[in-house]
Amino acid sequence: MRRGLLSDYFEWAAVKRLSAVEADPERSHQHEFAGGHLRKMFGDEDRLEFPARFIWLSDEQEGISEDGKLSWYDSRRKNPDRSAEYRLYYFDNGVTSLMKEGDSFFVAARRDGSTMVIITPEGSTIESQLAWLFGIEGNGESFESTEITEDESFRLDFAARYILDEIGIDAEEPETDVLDTILEKCGNKFPATHDFSKMARESLPEVSAMDDADHILMTWLEREELLFRRMERHIVSERLKTGFVAADTADVDGFIAFSLSVQNRRKSRAGYSLEHHLTALFKARGIKFERGVETENRNKPDFLFPGQNEYRDAAFDTAKLTMLGAKSTCKDRWRQVLSEATRIQHKHLVTLEPGITENQTDEMKAKHLQLVVPVAIHDTYKPSQQEWLMGVADFVELVKSRQVGDS
């Protein structure tokens, strides 16, 4: 499957750790950074002012964004006897007011001449994800920059597209003619989530459900993601053509309701998609399981192996019971699965979220929760985490071994 490149959207990226003087308005009103390490990004021209999209992202709440501008100038331009000293100046806005000492300050130059400024808390998952996406760590007080080159090292795989979506960039769908042909049967309306996932799998006849489990799951998920975004683009485009007018005035409420419906559909579909494809994978391999059945206290794990009857049978060997939660994104919601099956001490959770922080995975270990991540996403995690992560194929083999000899 052909994929785009990060260089289709960005030319350069840089990051630094904010100092107290840079982040705290009570300590300084300069609103600027030493820009020596940014000259390759912004050049040697003096007094540039350009549009910027400021974004504040954290793991705990929805992001905040605001349009603003940046200024690039030589602070020694009036002194020809001294070498140039470039500075990057930012203007106050609702996003910069949230900056704190220790936050990461990402600056990314777009292909269209604009710039993105992304501020993330220190130690957050989104910070880790952006560092992986751009290939820079930036733990120091000076900017560390990198050029986004046109090579496969910056290809837009599933994890990269996931992170771009987090910062508000919809990556263009590759092979649109192929996607449009598949979607013809749908008309201009989304099928039920189960049917949409099935259509995505059936559009890949060359992929066998008995192949490598990690590869299969990611191939199915990526095809459905591309199909979904392509169909969404068609539907939204048609809706925008009709406009939002009621009683000869702008229908603001109608527009807001439509926008919210688009966002909510994106979020809910991702979770359903993961569950549907896991179900197909387990069934193809003859694994016995049930979905969403009650254990105790009205808890309903996403997947219970072998099933509810065995779980409720006090005589059934606890070592043969397995529970799997499925969350396309973890955030702080992973703790919800800890109470979903009290008979099972060591629980499993599958996610598609790249680059979860070491603090979070360390806590998962302490809580006896094993994270299952498709192998293609493992390289977004630190080496020490990768040693602990379980792949989808690993989980499949574990469950199969626990069901050997069962009828």
Side-chain angles (χ1 to χ4, degrees), residues 287-330:
I287 295 173
K288 188 177 180 182
F289 70 95
E290 288 186 281
R291 282 182 61 185
V293 294
E294 189 171 304
T295 52
E296 57 272 302
N297 300 322
R298 297 184 178 180
N299 287 311
K300 295 181 179 181
D302 294 314
F303 294 91
L304 187 63
F305 307 80
Q308 186 183 56
N309 289 337
E310 292 83 358
Y311 184 84
R312 290 181 171 179
D313 182 359
F316 188 82
D317 186 359
T318 304
K320 292 187 175 183
L321 295 173
T322 310
M323 190 217 89
L324 178 68
K327 295 186 182 298
S328 58
T329 61
C330 276

Side-chain angles (χ1 to χ4, degrees), residues 194-213:
H194 177 274
D195 295 331
F196 201 78
S197 296
K198 182 179 179 183
M199 181 179 69
R201 293 193 299 272
E202 291 178 345
S203 73
L204 295 163
E206 71 279 8
V207 177
S208 169
M210 300 306 294
D211 291 340
D212 176 75

Side-chain angles (χ1 to χ4, degrees), residues 59 104 106 120-137 163 354-358 379-382 385:
D59 299 342
S104 279
F106 289 87
T120 65
E122 182 177 10
S124 61
T125 290
I126 186 61
E127 177 191 60
S128 174
Q129 291 170 345
L130 289 170
W132 173 82
L133 179 70
F134 294 126
I136 45 178
E137 290 293 338
I163 300 168
I356 295 173
T357 64
E358 287 185 282
D379 68 353
T380 67
Y381 289 76
K382 296 186 182 302
Q385 294 173 293

Side-chain angles (χ1 to χ4, degrees), residues 334-335 358-368:
W334 61 266
R335 296 179 182 84
E358 287 185 282
N359 287 341
Q360 292 253 32
T361 55
D362 285 346
E363 187 177 352
M364 291 177 188
K365 292 179 190 178
K367 300 290 187 182
H368 305 294

Side-chain angles (χ1 to χ4, degrees), residues 23 25 31 33 50-56 64-71 89-99 105 115-119:
H31 297 81
F33 304 100
F50 39 88
R53 183 70 169 171
F54 289 80
I55 305 173
W56 183 84
I64 299 172
S65 62
E66 188 171 325
D67 289 325
K69 57 185 178 180
L70 293 169
S71 179
Y89 182 93
Y90 67 88
F91 298 82
D92 276 331
N93 58 60
V95 173
T96 61
S97 66
L98 298 172
M99 296 192 311
F105 189 95
T115 303
M116 294 189 82
V117 174
I118 310 166
I119 301 158

Side-chain angles (χ1 to χ4, degrees), residues 28-318:
S28 172
H29 297 280
Q30 293 181 346
H31 297 81
E32 62 184 15
F33 304 100
H37 293 82
L38 300 177
R39 290 181 69 173
K40 289 184 179 180
M41 183 186 300
F42 296 121
D44 293 332
E45 187 176 348
D46 187 25
R47 303 307 297 178
L48 287 178
E49 194 171 281
F50 39 88
R53 183 70 169 171
F54 289 80
I55 305 173
W56 183 84
L57 293 172
S58 75
D59 299 342
E60 286 75 34
Q61 63 187 77
E62 291 292 326
I64 299 172
S65 62
E66 188 171 325
D67 289 325
K69 57 185 178 180
L70 293 169
S71 179
W72 174 251
Y73 71 99
D74 176 12
S75 63
R76 294 176 175 174
R77 65 188 181 280
K78 295 182 179 180
N79 191 339
D81 297 326
R82 300 183 67 184
S83 59
E85 184 176 279
Y86 284 90
R87 295 187 177 277
L88 183 69
Y89 182 93
Y90 67 88
F91 298 82
D92 276 331
N93 58 60
V95 173
T96 61
S97 66
L98 298 172
M99 296 192 311
K100 294 182 176 63
E101 179 183 4
D103 288 351
S104 279
F105 189 95
F106 289 87
V107 184
R110 299 289 308 274
R111 284 286 173 188
D112 61 5
S114 66
T115 303
M116 294 189 82
V117 174
I118 310 166
I119 301 158
T120 65
E122 182 177 10
S124 61
T125 290
I126 186 61
E127 177 191 60
S128 174
Q129 291 170 345
L130 289 170
W132 173 82
L133 179 70
F134 294 126
I136 45 178
E137 290 293 338
N139 292 318
E141 294 184 358
S142 298
F143 277 105
E144 178 184 339
S145 65
T146 185
E147 183 178 8
I148 311 300
T149 56
E150 297 182 24
D151 61 52
E152 286 299 307
S153 64
F154 288 105
R155 72 185 186 281
L156 294 185
D157 57 12
F158 187 94
R161 294 171 68 93
Y162 174 104
I163 300 168
L164 286 179
D165 189 59
E166 288 287 289
I167 61 176
I169 295 178
D170 280 336
E172 293 183 5
E173 305 87 2
E175 303 175 341
T176 54
D177 52 340
V178 175
L179 300 177
D180 288 342
T181 299
I182 298 169
L183 292 170
E184 284 179 355
K185 65 182 74 174
C186 299
N188 207 35
K189 182 179 180 181
F190 276 107
T193 58
H194 177 274
D195 295 331
F196 201 78
S197 296
K198 182 179 179 183
M199 181 179 69
R201 293 193 299 272
E202 291 178 345
S203 73
L204 295 163
E206 71 279 8
V207 177
S208 169
M210 300 306 294
D211 291 340
D212 176 75
D214 289 273
H215 173 72
I216 295 163
L217 181 63
M218 290 305 298
T219 301
W220 285 344
L221 285 165
E222 186 165 7
R223 173 53 64 89
E224 181 172 351
E225 175 72 14
L226 293 175
L227 286 170
F228 175 85
R229 291 303 177 96
R230 185 62 179 170
M231 187 165 187
E232 180 187 64
R233 192 177 296 272
H234 285 315
I235 292 175
V236 172
S237 176
E238 289 301 314
R239 183 65 184 88
L240 291 177
K241 287 178 182 178
T242 63
F244 293 88
V245 179
D248 296 326
T249 61
D251 184 10
V252 176
D253 290 339
F255 171 77
I256 293 175
F258 177 74
S259 177
L260 288 174
S261 71
V262 171
Q263 296 299 319
N264 291 335
R265 182 167 53 205
R266 283 188 177 189
K267 294 175 182 178
S268 63
R269 182 211 55 85
Y272 285 125
S273 172
L274 177 59
E275 292 183 26
H276 293 326
H277 294 308
L278 285 170
T279 296
L281 185 67
F282 296 149
K283 284 184 176 179
R285 291 162 188 264
I287 295 173
K288 188 177 180 182
F289 70 95
E290 288 186 281
R291 282 182 61 185
V293 294
E294 189 171 304
T295 52
E296 57 272 302
N297 300 322
R298 297 184 178 180
N299 287 311
K300 295 181 179 181
D302 294 314
F303 294 91
L304 187 63
F305 307 80
Q308 186 183 56
N309 289 337
E310 292 83 358
Y311 184 84
R312 290 181 171 179
D313 182 359
F316 188 82
D317 186 359
T318 304

